[in-house]
């Protein structure tokens, strides 16, 4: 017995008419004629949310609370590039640098 038949049988047993009507509508509208594999976008696209861009924006705002001049910008970005490369190299070696916890959070 497939899951649709099982749910339908249980709904009839419990006299859940409203749910049964909804379930039949759902089945006819979304399950017949649609490939359920296309429902899951996890493997189909690179990013579902904008978390990566929000994270980058947050880190840049922390680096540059005020608008830097050109040379400050270049120096700070070079420093960040170096730190990222250093972290990457250490992680390859199995050494993980722990982030310091901010004790002053309210």
């Amino acid at each position: 017995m497939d899951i649709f038949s099982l749910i339908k049988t249980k709904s009839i047993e419990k006299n859940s008419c409203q749910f049964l009507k909804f379930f039949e509508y759902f089945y006819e509208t979304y399950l017949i004629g649609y490939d359920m594999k296309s429902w899951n976008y996890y493997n189909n696209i690179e990013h579902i949310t904008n978390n990566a861009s929000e994270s980058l924006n947050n880190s840049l705002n922390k680096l540059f609370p005020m608008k830097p001049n050109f040379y400050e910008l270049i120096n700070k970005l070079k420093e960040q590039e170096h730190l990222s490369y250093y972290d990457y190299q250490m992680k390859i070696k199995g050494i993980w640098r722990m982030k310091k916890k901010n004790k002053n959070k309210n």
Side-chain angles (χ1 to χ4, degrees):
M1 179 180 278
D2 67 337
I3 190 69
F4 176 76
S5 300
L6 179 65
I7 293 172
K8 189 174 180 177
T9 304
K10 293 288 183 183
S11 296
I12 292 170
E13 287 173 5
K14 295 188 181 217
N15 200 19
S16 301
C17 296
Q18 289 292 83
F19 179 74
L20 189 56
K21 285 180 186 177
F22 168 75
F23 195 63
E24 287 176 352
Y25 159 78
F26 185 84
Y27 181 77
E28 291 170 4
T29 306
Y30 296 105
L31 299 180
I32 295 177
Y34 287 96
D35 181 18
M36 284 199 285
K37 290 179 183 176
S38 65
W39 285 11
N40 183 359
Y41 289 103
Y42 183 76
N43 294 324
N44 297 335
I45 58 176
E46 205 170 306
H47 294 287
I48 294 173
T49 66
N50 64 348
N51 289 346
S53 58
E54 288 294 333
S55 177
L56 175 62
N57 188 36
N58 188 28
S59 63
L60 288 174
N61 283 331
K62 286 180 182 177
L63 278 175
F64 307 109
M66 298 182 70
K67 186 176 178 181
N69 67 38
F70 178 75
Y71 297 105
E72 290 172 337
L73 174 69
I74 297 300
N75 286 334
K76 196 63 149 171
L77 291 176
K78 280 183 177 180
E79 179 184 319
Q80 289 303 306
E81 179 185 31
H82 172 74
L83 290 174
S84 296
Y85 181 76
Y86 177 76
D87 283 350
Y88 173 73
Q89 292 297 322
M90 296 307 278
K91 288 175 183 175
I92 288 175
K93 295 175 185 176
I95 302 169
W96 294 82
R97 181 173 59 114
M98 301 301 284
K99 289 185 177 181
K100 293 178 182 178
K101 290 185 179 181
N102 188 354
K103 294 181 181 180
N104 294 332
K105 282 190 174 181
N106 293 338

